[in-house]
Amino acid sequence: MTQTLPPAPSPNAAVPVDMISPVRWIEKGWDDLRANPVPGLVHGALITLFGWLLMWAAREKFWLLAGAFSGFLIVAPVLATGLYHVSRERAAGRMAGLGDVLVLWRSFDGRLVRFGLLLGLAGTGWVLTSAGLITLWSEVPINKPVDFLKHVVLVREPGLFEVWLLMGSLLAAPVFASSVVAIPMLVDKSVPVSMAVTASWRAVADHPGPLVWWAVLIGMLFGMGLITALLGLIVVIPLVAHASWHAYRDLCPETSTSSPTAPAA
């Protein structure tokens, strides 16, 4: 059942988006998480558990593990869509619980399903491209994660690892640009996927510097979550999800709902 609580500070549409904005989004996301921790921590714990299962199932098969994790990280924002609803309800002075999040998931919004599938295909494309690059470049077969670490990451001669990182960044950029605003907008409003993606690209075009910094911050947070044996993702997942809602409200003040009480899409 939805409970009431003091309204959170309302986002100010007049506040410009600048290089400080991503830090402000993280701070607002942290406030949302502290005010209503249960939905976020449950999301984070379930996604972390799923990550552990992936690691166990593909522990000796590098390309399967790489594909699983690429898809996992790309689709994770879609899996956390319920937390956008939690942030929206807090702005209205209500506390949304797990039951409210389940109602959103049970709606089985076809737009979110399609968008998630598209993101999964993008992750698959990256894995295939990565596999082709490393197979053609590396003189040693890469079959296990330790092979990748030894013969790609830790080699003395620069080249393969740097090109691999650059290619990953170039392929990740359009995925980020397509989803940074689109996913929370699909939760917030009944708009087509194409309109949400267009709004997302427009936001990136209007604020390239802040959104590059936002992408770097997200990467750093997820990196910290990964190097802690995924335990850090229990907090990182809800923190980034809540912060992404505030990013959307600042980047699209003219399209985000004027009243957070509007029903979720």
Side-chain angles (χ1 to χ4, degrees):
M1 178 179 295
T2 301
Q3 302 174 3
T4 59
L5 73 163
S10 299
N12 186 355
V15 175
V17 175
D18 52 27
M19 297 302 290
I20 304 299
S21 296
V23 177
R24 185 171 66 247
W25 299 334
I26 292 292
E27 291 175 347
K28 289 183 177 181
W30 179 247
D31 288 342
D32 286 353
L33 181 57
R34 291 201 318 170
N36 189 6
V38 174
L41 295 180
V42 169
H43 272 75
L46 291 176
I47 293 175
T48 298
L49 178 61
F50 184 64
W52 283 339
L53 291 175
L54 288 179
M55 291 180 65
W56 178 82
R59 59 191 180 280
E60 295 296 329
K61 301 174 182 177
F62 173 71
W63 292 117
L64 179 58
L65 181 64
F69 258 96
S70 296
F72 167 70
L73 292 177
I74 289 176
V75 178
V78 176
L79 300 178
T81 50
L83 300 181
Y84 303 139
H85 176 64
V86 172
S87 288
R88 182 173 61 176
E89 288 297 288
R90 183 183 178 232
R94 294 190 297 271
M95 181 178 290
L98 285 174
D100 301 289
V101 173
L102 288 175
V103 169
L104 176 64
W105 276 110
R106 282 202 298 266
S107 68
F108 202 69
D109 192 333
R111 299 168 309 144
L112 290 172
V113 173
R114 290 193 299 273
F115 200 82
L117 291 175
L118 289 174
L119 292 178
L121 288 174
T124 302
W126 156 242
V127 172
L128 294 176
T129 304
S130 173
L133 171 69
I134 293 176
T135 300
L136 292 174
W137 193 314
S138 177
E139 298 178 356
V140 179
I142 307 297
N143 298 317
K144 298 180 180 180
V146 68
D147 296 334
F148 180 79
L149 184 65
K150 183 186 299 184
H151 301 296
V152 177
V153 179
L154 299 179
V155 293
R156 294 183 179 181
E157 300 80 8
L160 175 55
F161 184 56
E162 288 74 15
V163 172
W164 182 80
L165 286 177
L166 177 61
M167 182 178 292
S169 300
L170 292 175
L171 292 176
V175 174
F176 174 79
S178 299
S179 59
V180 61
V181 163
I183 300 177
M185 181 178 287
L186 291 174
V187 173
D188 189 37
K189 298 180 71 66
S190 297
V191 298
V193 172
S194 58
M195 182 180 296
V197 172
T198 300
S200 195
W201 276 91
R202 185 181 300 118
V204 174
D206 291 342
H207 311 285
L211 285 179
V212 168
W213 173 221
W214 178 226
V216 171
L217 269 180
I218 292 175
M220 292 170 59
L221 289 169
F222 272 97
M224 288 189 289
L226 294 177
I227 64 175
T228 56
L230 306 189
L231 283 172
L233 293 180
I234 296 175
V235 174
V236 168
I237 292 289
L239 175 62
V240 172
H242 289 309
S244 295
W245 168 259
H246 294 287
Y248 157 66
R249 292 299 299 269
D250 281 357
L251 291 165
C252 300
E254 74 284 355
T255 57
S256 58
T257 51
S258 57
S259 172
T261 61

